[in-house]
Amino acid sequence: MKHNPFTSNTYQETWLKHFSKQKEGKQFQFIKNLSFIKHKFLPYYINTGRNMTNGMTYEIDALASDFKNKAVVIYDVPDYCDWTDPVKIPNLKIKKVRQYKGFLADLSKVTSFEAYLQNTLNAKSRNKFRSTLKKFESCFDVSYNYYYGDIAPDAYKTLMANFKNLVETRYGDLKIDTSLISEWPFYEELVYKMLHEKKAMIISIDVAGKPISMSLAFLGENSLVGAVKAFNTNYYKFNVGHIEISKFIDWCIKNDKEILDFSKGEYEYKTKWTNTNYLYNCHIMYDTSSIASSITGYLLVKYFGLKQYLRDKNFNLFVAKTRFALKNFGASKEQKLPFKIHPIKGDINFKAYQLVDLNEEGERFPFLIRLVFDGLYQKPECVSGIKIYRSVKIIEGKPNYLVTGTKSKYLIEIL
């Protein structure tokens, strides 16, 4: 990864400011490009950025000897990067422990988005993507916005507030605890700097001027690395996450980026849109001439191996869901009421209904917006032509909703 954004001074200095009492990272001559912090209690060093980066790269200086009596850990080194085992250095042991799977789109031989689409997705997937994109853009007032370079402070503040809201809502829907929210002040400071340095990009898909899907990515000389993404699940049927990926790929090709790295984690959208798999490894280095360093290195190898074993068993997902449940214990829960949808073919007695605003009704019954948008996916038409009526007669606090458009008319009966 040429000019790795995660080893830049901006990234490392900002990370140290937010997550370390050691305000300056320690550098070693035998490892180029990285700085380290010492573990609070144990006798080893950790790369600045810890496990919050999306790919670390480094070089070994075979002539240096300041690894004596030391043990160091470097998180998340992608095995596709231009890094090879160095010339054997007496007494320096380097152990690699498998961690996450990674996925990337190799664009080095691609001349257009259509060419990549043709080579990567099968005919069925290509047709579905094109059909869904056409539906999405015909139903909604859509705009695609790329934030890359200078941005006014007020505009940036609004941008990140919208992004945070999408992240909170998305992980709330998944019922998964995430550290992203507590880390958000770090991202707010970091991304503003790196946007101006053109080492970061945010893409936002907006509907009627409001973001419904946003992604943060970092830029190397020939790569774009995804970091944080979230979308509004009301638009789930329209596969906005896939549409966003297509925009990233198109941007990379037009801007001579050879790699679009989807980073850690195995998800359906990654396996669908990528053409190369790789592994993240944790690199553990220690001085074998030192008994203390050898013991520390051995224990670290076993520790990270155990973490990966538990990760393979989805234990980390279990922990994230448990944390979410504990944090939200006793909190009021969203009403998930049963419903039925009845097509209407005859005349409608509009005297039994009153015109309402979908967004306002959606605050009371959040699933209502999703149902209406799902209906648009089935029979596409511009959302501005859809009207929502609430029944005048309400039984046990449960109204019925009449949805009318030029292509469909149906009743949502809340049971």
Side-chain angles (χ1 to χ4, degrees):
M1 190 186 301
K2 296 180 180 178
H3 300 294
N4 189 335
F6 308 111
T7 63
S8 68
N9 290 335
T10 299
Y11 191 96
Q12 295 194 46
E13 289 171 2
T14 307
W15 189 90
L16 286 166
K17 175 181 176 181
H18 285 267
F19 299 107
S20 175
K21 292 181 179 179
Q22 304 167 42
K23 297 308 177 185
E24 290 187 6
K26 182 176 180 60
Q27 294 185 327
F28 300 118
Q29 293 179 2
F30 78 100
I31 302 179
K32 297 179 180 179
N33 304 326
L34 296 188
S35 66
F36 294 83
I37 59 171
K38 191 176 184 303
H39 190 277
K40 289 181 181 179
F41 311 109
L42 302 176
Y44 70 92
Y45 291 86
I46 305 163
N47 66 280
T48 300
R50 200 179 172 95
N51 60 348
M52 288 179 62
T53 76
N54 295 85
M56 298 299 290
T57 52
Y58 66 94
E59 293 181 25
I60 292 289
D61 186 344
L63 300 179
S65 60
D66 58 343
F67 61 86
K68 297 294 185 181
N69 301 313
K70 295 182 180 67
V72 302
V73 172
I74 303 175
Y75 282 81
D76 300 332
V77 181
D79 64 6
Y80 75 85
C81 289
D82 294 332
W83 186 88
T84 56
D85 288 326
V87 175
K88 294 296 182 181
I89 303 175
N91 301 325
L92 177 62
K93 187 74 171 179
I94 302 176
K95 298 288 288 185
K96 302 177 187 179
V97 183
R98 177 179 64 88
Q99 298 291 283
Y100 302 89
K101 286 184 179 180
F103 300 84
L104 62 84
D106 182 353
L107 308 172
S108 59
K109 298 179 181 178
V110 180
T111 57
S112 69
F113 171 72
E114 282 301 320
Y116 185 82
L117 193 67
Q118 188 73 26
N119 293 332
T120 307
L121 274 63
N122 59 38
K124 182 179 179 181
S125 295
R126 291 196 302 271
N127 291 336
K128 182 178 179 181
F129 168 74
R130 292 182 179 120
S131 173
T132 301
L133 176 62
K134 184 177 180 180
K135 288 180 180 181
F136 178 58
E137 293 181 342
S138 65
C139 290
F140 303 100
D141 177 16
V142 180
S143 60
Y144 305 101
N145 299 294
Y146 301 82
Y147 299 91
Y148 172 64
D150 293 344
I151 182 172
D154 289 345
Y156 178 74
K157 184 177 180 180
T158 300
L159 181 73
M160 292 301 283
N162 289 331
F163 203 169
K164 182 182 180 182
N165 181 60
L166 280 176
V167 170
E168 288 177 321
T169 303
R170 178 57 178 151
Y171 279 90
D173 291 340
L174 293 171
K175 293 182 171 51
I176 293 176
D177 183 48
T178 176
S179 60
L180 281 170
I181 302 307
S182 62
E183 296 164 356
W184 205 253
F186 160 70
Y187 283 107
E188 285 182 321
E189 180 175 347
L190 173 73
V191 175
Y192 182 75
K193 295 176 181 177
M194 296 193 79
L195 283 178
H196 283 266
E197 294 173 0
K198 293 190 174 182
K199 292 179 180 177
M201 169 189 284
I202 293 176
I203 183 173
S204 176
I205 300 180
D206 296 0
V207 167
K210 183 177 180 180
I212 63 155
S213 182
M214 299 180 73
S215 280
L216 165 67
F218 293 96
L219 291 104
E221 182 180 338
N222 67 341
S223 63
L224 186 69
V225 185
V228 181
K229 68 185 285 95
F231 71 98
N232 185 331
T233 54
N234 287 333
Y235 298 84
Y236 179 82
K237 278 282 188 179
F238 293 92
N239 288 336
V240 291
H242 292 260
I243 294 171
E244 188 178 76
I245 289 169
S246 74
K247 299 301 176 182
F248 265 132
I249 292 173
D250 187 51
W251 187 92
C252 285
I253 294 170
K254 291 177 178 176
N255 289 272
D256 300 321
K257 302 298 179 185
E258 296 180 356
I259 292 173
L260 173 57
D261 192 337
F262 290 73
S263 192
K264 309 172 190 175
E266 186 170 3
Y267 301 98
E268 182 270 339
Y269 74 88
K270 293 185 180 183
T271 56
K272 186 173 184 177
W273 282 93
T274 58
N275 55 17
T276 306
N277 302 342
Y278 65 93
L279 285 176
Y280 281 96
N281 294 305
C282 178
H283 287 202
I284 299 163
M285 306 181 192
Y286 56 93
D287 176 15
T288 57
S289 68
S290 163
I291 295 176
S293 296
S294 295
I295 292 173
T296 301
Y298 173 81
L299 293 176
L300 285 169
V301 170
K302 294 298 181 182
Y303 169 72
F304 282 100
L306 175 60
K307 284 188 69 174
Q308 184 55 38
Y309 171 80
L310 294 174
R311 192 178 292 122
D312 289 339
K313 300 296 182 181
N314 290 321
F315 183 73
N316 58 325
L317 181 59
F318 168 76
V319 171
K321 286 183 175 289
T322 301
R323 284 178 177 171
F324 180 89
L326 291 174
K327 284 184 178 181
N328 293 275
F329 181 76
S332 58
K333 297 182 179 180
E334 175 188 326
Q335 285 183 298
K336 291 188 175 180
L337 302 175
F339 61 88
K340 285 185 179 180
I341 296 178
H342 306 280
I344 298 175
K345 296 182 179 179
D347 294 333
I348 300 171
N349 178 17
F350 283 99
K351 292 182 179 180
Y353 299 91
Q354 57 183 349
L355 186 66
V356 294
D357 181 83
L358 176 60
N359 291 322
E360 291 179 2
E361 295 299 305
E363 292 180 5
R364 183 180 180 190
F365 300 113
F367 62 88
L368 186 64
I369 298 176
R370 171 78 175 268
L371 288 178
V372 173
F373 288 179
D374 286 358
L376 283 176
Y377 180 82
Q378 297 300 326
K379 295 185 178 181
E381 62 178 289
C382 185
V383 68
S384 61
I386 298 294
K387 294 183 178 180
I388 312 295
Y389 299 85
R390 183 180 60 213
S391 60
V392 174
K393 185 178 181 181
I394 299 176
I395 302 175
E396 297 180 354
K398 300 174 184 178
N400 293 331
Y401 289 93
L402 176 66
V403 183
T404 68
T406 58
K407 295 185 178 180
S408 62
K409 297 176 184 178
Y410 56 92
L411 181 73
I412 301 174
E413 179 187 6
I414 300 179
L415 303 176

